[in-house]
Amino acid sequence: MAMSASASLSKAVKQQYMELPQGDKVQAMYIWIDGTGEGLRCKTRTLDCEPKSIEDLPEWNFDGSSTYQSEGSNSDMYLIPAAMFRDPFRKDPNKLVLCEVLKYNRKPAETNLRLTCKKVMDMVADQHPWFGMEQEYTILGTDGHPFGWPSNGFPGPQGPYYCGVGADKAYGRDIVEAHYRACLYAGVQICGTNAEVMPAQWEFQVGPCEGIDMGDHLWIARFILHRVCEDFGVVASFDPKPIPGNWNGAGCHTNFSTKEMREDGGLKAIEDSIEKLAKRHSYHIRAYDPKGGLDNARRLTGRHETSNINEFSAGVANRGASIRIPRNVGQEKKGYFEDRRPSANCDPYGVTEALIRTCLLSEEGEEPVDY
Amino acid sequence: MATSASSKLNKAVKQQYMSLPQGGKVQAMYIWIDGSGEGLRCKTRTLDSEPKTIEELPEWNFDGSSTYQSEGSNSDMYLIPAAMFRDPFRKDPNKLVLCEVLKYNRKPAETNLRLTCKTIMSMVENNHPWFGMEQEYTLLGTDGHPFGWPSNGFPGPQGPYYCGVGADKAYGRDIVEAHYRACLYAGVQICGTNAEVMPAQWEFQVGPCEGINMGDHLWVARFILHRVCEDFGVVVSFDPKPIPGNWNGAGCHTNFSTKEMREDGGLKVIEEAIERLSKRHRYHIRAYDPKGGLDNARRLTGRHETSSIDEFSAGVANRGASIRIPRSVGQDKKGYFEDRRPSANCDPYAVTEALVRTCLLKEEGAEPTDYSK
């Protein structure tokens, strides 16, 4: 099984060092999204005391020419702390700090989608938009082959693996368990987990989160997953179609509601939103993966519980549609709906912003409105 | 030896994560029986506080088209919490929650045999029906071959393995020990364990359980066994005849008694019950494995301490009979009896329901009575 060299390092030795007291000093790991819009980077600085709020954390900078974000001749980019969490790897009082990236001229970096998302969220704060995102992912060995799969072949066909138990059904549960606990410790709003249809594929859900929190919590949950997999010597992939053919892809189904939708009679507001979404399908497809739809084109085939990328559809309890209204929502006439189009490697800031723009700000057409 | 890739993941690393405090949050793992009637599925949700009783656990739902239970176009199915146990894998305050499955229209799913069983059990509460089920199973490597067997062959013939000790007799005891402790922690009514006649085959017993509890405790004990084997990187099989030929099959002998049978003179009631069972053999055979008798047909041959599937028989201390009356019961003239017909992969709800219908509700004929009319 292809696990990393690092995984063979003695964890007992490491544990001895990690138990050393650190005096009053605090380690803050700054995390940011790189130029790909999918990759995460991190570096750490020592602080003299424990920060109590995000405002206590200083701005920082990094070399953007090494992260696909700037030219070498003018490479400094700024890190602006945005959200702070407990560090489940170094533990209290150390912190994980999710940051926004600004270019040398203080304008947002190309892949800093948080800035605009926050503005849009502020515009609709009184509607209390809630999100829940279902993050699917695949565990790979360092050879790029799915974890637990025979090295020169394939497991038995899909069927027994979804929510499965047993060594022949569930591949890599240790990672899932460790990730769940780490997220709970960190303060990430992780609300569930399950084994997925393809063996070595898993899902966790984050939410309900209001406004900008959705993107913050999901990005940190992804960072924690990468770090946990690194500790075990395997790799987490958010590729939307890691194995071609009769194997499920990986999405990030996004559940959405406003205060109005959650109240009695909210089904009407849900249906109005779906009507608006139906008219803006290609704008959303462009927002739902980091390559403007090219990644999702490999996943949204109309098979394997996906809708076809070229068509918009909606239905109650229909997992083959673009938008699914859960059955109990159809019955209670209020609640939320599920947009099944986002890719596993989507930017949650991009996704949540698009939903607000279309459904709440009633935008139309191919381009977002510049407010 | 074919153990899974997952079992090679570093458990010390995992342990560091599992030691992290989780604040006030609680993980509840919902467990259900899938469309096969034998397979178990599970998924977890976070709760904001520790549930003290089953009533505090919310309903949930899942995608039945991925578990052989519904079509993709109308796939939502409901999970209704039925029994709660402590979680021996994530430990306190986390929970395992056994659930019933309802279809989209709130009717029971095809393999939700608990609903009817509970109705039947509540009709005979005053009889205090007790059950004890002896769950046999076989450990396999991920290659499907029994654990510890030579990879391209067979161990020596049966004889030395039953209740054996020693590396040449007992294959996989670690799993058995871990499972026993995990069940005790969880609150499952596990009452014993032993190595079985075929090497890599084991048995644990759950009971005495009254009424619906038998099915609940046995299903959770099976789930715990699957999870323990997953951690060790091996597979547990409840197939009733995993290796054809001169190797034992795996059953789920079911011990049964009522208050009347347990009291002085109860032997008469036992004999009456056996009389009724003898007239309804085919109905019980259909209820005793998930394929209406087809699975058991490979096991109940009349050899290897089984009765023949085509014939009903009963006798004191007779392990070749369908029903065995333990010798001590024959002597004390009270106690219980053992139905040896159920397959290892039976649904305990169906087995216990059938016994109550025939012996206590005195049903006859090939079909169960519908009491809702």
Side-chain angles (χ1 to χ4, degrees):
Chain A
M1 178 44 53
M3 294 190 284
S4 69
S6 293
S8 313
L9 295 170
S10 166
K11 305 302 172 185
V13 168
K14 174 164 177 214
Q15 188 55 23
Q16 283 166 357
Y17 287 103
M18 296 308 287
E19 282 162 5
L20 291 170
Q22 48 188 106
D24 293 326
K25 305 289 193 184
V26 171
Q27 294 164 294
M29 178 172 257
Y30 282 48
I31 297 163
W32 71 98
I33 299 156
D34 72 14
T36 66
E38 312 177 48
L40 286 160
R41 309 280 180 141
C42 58
K43 60 173 183 167
T44 305
R45 69 191 299 176
T46 309
L47 305 173
D48 287 329
C49 60
E50 182 180 4
K52 296 301 180 191
S53 69
I54 196 75
E55 289 73 27
D56 292 342
L57 290 153
E59 277 188 21
W60 206 8
N61 55 69
F62 69 97
D63 171 16
S65 69
S66 297
T67 62
Y68 314 118
Q69 288 177 286
S70 67
E71 299 299 317
S73 53
N74 191 359
S75 60
D76 277 354
M77 300 188 78
Y78 296 102
L79 288 170
I80 315 298
M84 187 170 75
F85 296 81
R86 291 166 79 194
D87 185 331
F89 311 103
R90 296 172 172 147
K91 295 192 256 194
D92 287 337
N94 304 302
K95 304 295 178 206
L96 299 180
V97 182
L98 183 66
C99 301
E100 283 194 35
V101 178
L102 302 183
K103 291 191 290 198
Y104 69 95
N105 56 8
R106 308 287 297 188
K107 288 197 191 317
E110 319 298 332
T111 55
N112 175 1
L113 306 192
R114 188 183 191 277
L115 196 79
T116 329
C117 182
K118 190 159 196 309
K119 284 208 182 81
V120 169
M121 291 298 172
D122 288 343
M123 291 168 68
V124 299
D126 58 339
Q127 298 196 50
H128 299 287
W130 286 5
F131 300 94
M133 292 181 85
E134 305 169 32
Q135 177 71 69
E136 292 177 335
Y137 63 94
T138 313
I139 304 174
L140 310 177
T142 46
D143 57 0
H145 203 48
F147 181 75
W149 288 35
S151 57
N152 57 347
F154 298 84
Q158 298 183 149
Y161 310 110
Y162 173 75
C163 299
V165 61
D168 51 344
K169 311 267 179 29
Y171 297 359
R173 189 189 299 274
D174 287 338
I175 282 117
V176 180
E177 294 295 301
H179 175 255
Y180 205 148
R181 282 295 177 87
C183 284
L184 287 175
Y185 180 92
V188 168
Q189 190 81 352
I190 184 166
C191 54
T193 185
N194 61 273
E196 266 300 327
V197 175
M198 188 177 92
Q201 191 183 53
W202 294 84
E203 171 181 312
F204 62 87
Q205 304 95 29
V206 178
C209 291
E210 186 161 324
I212 197 65
D213 290 347
M214 183 70 254
D216 292 347
H217 281 239
L218 192 69
W219 274 116
I220 289 288
R222 286 174 174 177
F223 176 82
I224 290 174
L225 182 62
H226 283 302
R227 265 298 274 116
V228 168
C229 285
E230 186 190 304
D231 270 2
F232 281 103
V234 296
V235 174
S237 167
F238 296 111
D239 188 79
K241 191 76 176 181
I243 309 292
N246 200 12
W247 301 99
N248 268 31
C252 195
H253 305 158
T254 302
N255 299 281
F256 174 55
S257 70
T258 58
K259 188 161 173 295
E260 201 188 352
M261 293 177 195
R262 296 188 289 273
E263 287 173 347
D264 284 344
L267 185 58
K268 174 146 197 342
I270 290 172
E271 287 165 347
D272 288 345
S273 284
I274 294 175
E275 188 62 40
K276 291 177 189 143
L277 289 166
K279 299 190 173 108
R280 222 184 178 200
H281 181 62
S282 54
Y283 161 74
H284 280 262
I285 286 296
R286 283 205 317 278
Y288 283 177
D289 76 35
K291 296 196 185 68
L294 289 179
D295 276 341
N296 242 343
R298 293 181 285 123
R299 175 178 80 102
L300 296 177
T301 58
R303 297 177 62 220
H304 302 111
E305 298 164 287
T306 67
S307 52
N308 187 295
I309 195 171
N310 298 311
E311 297 160 16
F312 179 90
S313 56
V316 176
N318 183 353
R319 282 181 165 79
S322 316
I323 305 281
R324 166 179 157 267
I325 299 172
R327 184 166 291 290
N328 55 312
V329 171
Q331 281 164 353
E332 291 164 30
K333 311 255 184 284
K334 63 179 176 178
Y336 65 98
F337 67 86
E338 177 194 28
D339 190 336
R340 294 174 64 82
R341 296 172 291 177
S343 169
N345 63 347
C346 70
D347 186 324
Y349 298 127
V351 171
T352 54
E353 178 186 323
L355 284 165
I356 299 292
R357 284 181 179 274
T358 301
C359 300
L360 302 193
L361 298 174
S362 300
E363 290 182 14
E364 296 172 0
E366 293 299 316
E367 296 304 318
V369 172
D370 186 348
Y371 297 100
Chain B
M1 173 46 53
T3 47
S4 69
S6 291
S7 65
K8 316 277 192 302
L9 294 170
N10 190 315
K11 306 303 173 185
V13 170
K14 176 162 176 215
Q15 186 51 30
Q16 283 165 5
Y17 285 106
M18 297 309 284
S19 308
L20 289 171
Q22 46 189 106
K25 305 287 192 184
V26 173
Q27 293 166 291
M29 179 172 255
Y30 283 48
I31 297 162
W32 71 98
I33 299 157
D34 72 16
S36 69
E38 312 177 48
L40 287 160
R41 309 279 179 145
C42 59
K43 60 173 182 166
T44 304
R45 71 190 299 177
T46 310
L47 304 173
D48 287 328
S49 63
E50 182 182 2
K52 298 298 182 194
T53 66
I54 195 75
E55 288 74 27
E56 292 175 44
L57 289 154
E59 276 188 24
W60 207 5
N61 56 69
F62 70 97
D63 173 15
S65 69
S66 296
T67 61
Y68 314 118
Q69 288 177 287
S70 66
E71 298 298 318
S73 54
N74 190 1
S75 59
D76 279 351
M77 299 187 80
Y78 296 103
L79 289 170
I80 314 298
M84 186 171 76
F85 295 81
R86 292 166 78 195
D87 186 331
F89 311 104
R90 296 174 173 147
K91 296 191 259 190
D92 288 335
N94 305 301
K95 305 294 179 207
L96 299 180
V97 182
L98 182 66
C99 300
E100 283 194 34
V101 178
L102 302 183
K103 292 192 288 201
Y104 70 96
N105 54 8
R106 307 286 299 189
K107 290 198 194 312
E110 317 298 334
T111 53
N112 174 2
L113 306 190
R114 186 184 192 274
L115 194 77
T116 330
C117 182
K118 193 162 194 298
T119 308
I120 295 297
M121 291 299 172
S122 54
M123 291 168 68
V124 299
E125 265 172 9
N126 296 333
N127 298 96
H128 297 285
W130 285 8
F131 300 94
M133 293 181 84
E134 305 169 29
Q135 177 71 71
E136 293 179 332
Y137 62 91
T138 314
L139 294 173
L140 310 176
T142 48
D143 57 1
H145 203 48
F147 181 75
W149 288 34
S151 57
N152 56 348
F154 299 84
Q158 297 182 153
Y161 310 110
Y162 175 74
C163 298
V165 62
D168 51 345
K169 312 268 178 26
Y171 297 178
R173 188 187 299 274
D174 286 339
I175 284 116
V176 179
E177 294 296 302
H179 175 253
Y180 206 143
R181 282 295 174 87
C183 282
L184 288 174
Y185 180 95
V188 168
Q189 191 80 352
I190 185 167
C191 54
T193 185
N194 60 273
E196 266 300 328
V197 175
M198 188 178 92
Q201 191 182 54
W202 294 84
E203 171 180 312
F204 63 88
Q205 304 96 28
V206 177
C209 291
E210 186 160 325
I212 196 64
N213 291 338
M214 183 69 253
D216 292 347
H217 281 240
L218 192 68
W219 273 116
V220 176
R222 286 174 174 175
F223 176 82
I224 290 174
L225 183 57
H226 281 299
R227 262 303 271 117
V228 167
C229 286
E230 186 190 304
D231 273 359
F232 280 100
V234 297
V235 173
V236 51
S237 167
F238 295 110
D239 188 80
K241 192 75 177 182
I243 309 292
N246 200 11
W247 301 99
N248 269 31
C252 196
H253 306 156
T254 302
N255 300 280
F256 175 54
S257 70
T258 59
K259 188 162 174 293
E260 216 184 345
M261 293 178 197
R262 297 189 289 273
E263 286 171 347
D264 284 342
L267 184 58
K268 183 168 191 325
V269 184
I270 290 173
E271 286 165 347
E272 282 166 5
I274 293 174
E275 186 63 35
R276 295 204 183 92
L277 288 167
S278 70
K279 297 191 173 107
R280 223 186 177 198
H281 181 63
R282 289 220 305 270
Y283 161 74
H284 280 260
I285 287 295
R286 283 206 317 276
Y288 283 178
D289 77 41
K291 296 197 187 67
L294 288 178
D295 276 341
N296 243 343
R298 294 181 284 122
R299 175 179 81 102
L300 295 176
T301 59
R303 296 177 61 219
H304 301 111
E305 298 163 284
T306 68
S307 52
S308 166
I309 196 170
D310 299 317
E311 297 159 17
F312 180 90
S313 56
V316 175
N318 183 352
R319 281 184 166 74
S322 315
I323 305 282
R324 165 178 159 267
I325 299 171
R327 187 165 293 291
S328 54
V329 172
Q331 282 164 351
D332 298 341
K333 308 262 186 281
K334 63 180 175 180
Y336 64 98
F337 66 87
E338 178 194 27
D339 190 335
R340 294 174 65 80
R341 297 171 291 176
S343 169
N345 63 347
C346 70
D347 187 324
Y349 298 127
V351 171
T352 53
E353 178 187 321
L355 283 165
V356 169
R357 283 181 180 272
T358 302
C359 301
L360 301 191
L361 297 174
K362 303 183 167 58
E363 291 181 14
E364 296 173 355
E367 295 305 316
T369 306
D370 184 347
Y371 296 98
S372 64
K373 300 202 167 83

